[in-house]
Amino acid sequence: MMNILCVAAHPDDIEILCAGTLVRYAQEGHKITFAVFTSGNMGDTFIPPEELGKIREKETREAAAIIGAKLIWGGVMDEHVFPDQQQRHLMIDILREADPDVIFTHSPNDYHPDHRYVSQLVFDSYFQKGLPFIPNQSKPACRFGQAQLYYMDNLGGIGFIPSEYVDISKVFSIKQQMLACHKSQVQAMQQLADTNLAEMVEVQARFRGLAAGCRYAEGFTRLDAYQRGLTKRVLP
């Protein structure tokens, strides 16, 4: 059994970009952890931030529960992710709590600064998670061993060329069910960006499926860097 961690900037990012793959891991008996770095509390022009943050957390917990995933709620203010010392400490603790064998996070060239900085924080915290004497950490060091890091697709697939695919055809309906838990986000995206999230997710999964040779797929790029190498496939 492996520990599978997905670190995303906002509520619903996991469901949009990685949920199908996480469903497949869960069905194989692996331990799944969702880590949502911000509360998503700035993502509406009508609902006040304090109220919205609570709504977004409740929706995320409902989505995670569908596959029995654990949720780590970072609680950082939405639209205020920065690769600074304070947020580095938080990310190290998130990685330590999950003790991952496989990590998914945003692509460094994603469209949103919160996505980009979460990605950088994951990269920067990778080694620190296993070093026991890093000061001012609230969680004990986890295993120092290799954890394979994969970058998730960008919204719309813009500027992203997957190196590996996961066939999610048989679990796509579960991915849709998880996304539907985010009612406040679905409504806000329709109002603010004229975007139908369910339609966007299906179109992108179908497009990636064309390249992968299946009905629906999610695409990823593996981070190839020193001490992150891999001689076998770990994606489902």
Side-chain angles (χ1 to χ4, degrees), residues 8 17 40 43 75 80 84 118 124 126-127 135 137 154 163 170 205 209 224:
L17 300 170
H80 288 73
D84 59 21
V118 163
D124 293 347
Y126 177 92
F127 280 109
Q137 296 299 144
N154 292 336
S163 58
K170 293 182 179 180
D224 291 323

Side-chain angles (χ1 to χ4, degrees), residues 15-152:
E15 289 74 15
I16 291 171
L17 300 170
C18 193
T21 299
L22 299 180
V23 172
R24 288 201 52 186
Y25 272 125
Q27 290 178 343
E28 293 177 359
H30 301 293
K31 180 180 179 181
I32 313 300
T33 300
F34 289 15
V36 179
F37 203 65
T38 80
S39 65
N41 62 337
M42 295 292 172
D44 198 285
T45 57
F46 300 101
I47 304 175
E50 183 177 354
E51 179 183 351
L52 184 61
K54 294 177 182 177
I55 292 171
R56 294 279 164 87
E57 182 177 0
K58 180 176 181 293
E59 292 172 345
T60 305
R61 292 191 182 280
E62 290 173 353
I66 290 174
I67 61 169
K70 175 183 177 179
L71 174 63
I72 300 174
W73 190 253
V76 172
M77 186 181 294
D78 187 16
E79 308 295 332
H80 288 73
V81 179
F82 302 99
D84 59 21
Q85 186 176 32
Q86 180 181 2
Q87 294 190 22
R88 169 87 73 88
H89 283 306
L90 175 58
M91 186 62 76
I92 292 170
D93 278 340
I94 287 172
L95 297 183
R96 287 179 170 187
E97 183 173 347
D99 190 16
D101 297 288
V102 182
I103 305 169
F104 296 95
T105 195
H106 297 286
S107 171
N109 70 333
D110 207 324
Y111 83 105
H112 196 294
D114 283 357
H115 293 196
R116 290 173 180 257
Y117 290 143
V118 163
S119 179
Q120 182 176 337
L121 284 163
V122 171
F123 182 93
D124 293 347
S125 303
Y126 177 92
F127 280 109
Q128 283 73 26
K129 67 181 174 58
L131 297 174
F133 301 117
I134 300 295
N136 302 315
Q137 296 299 144
S138 62
K139 302 290 183 182
C142 64
R143 294 172 296 165
F144 189 76
Q146 296 181 18
Q148 188 58 55
L149 175 60
Y150 285 91
Y151 292 126
M152 302 182 292

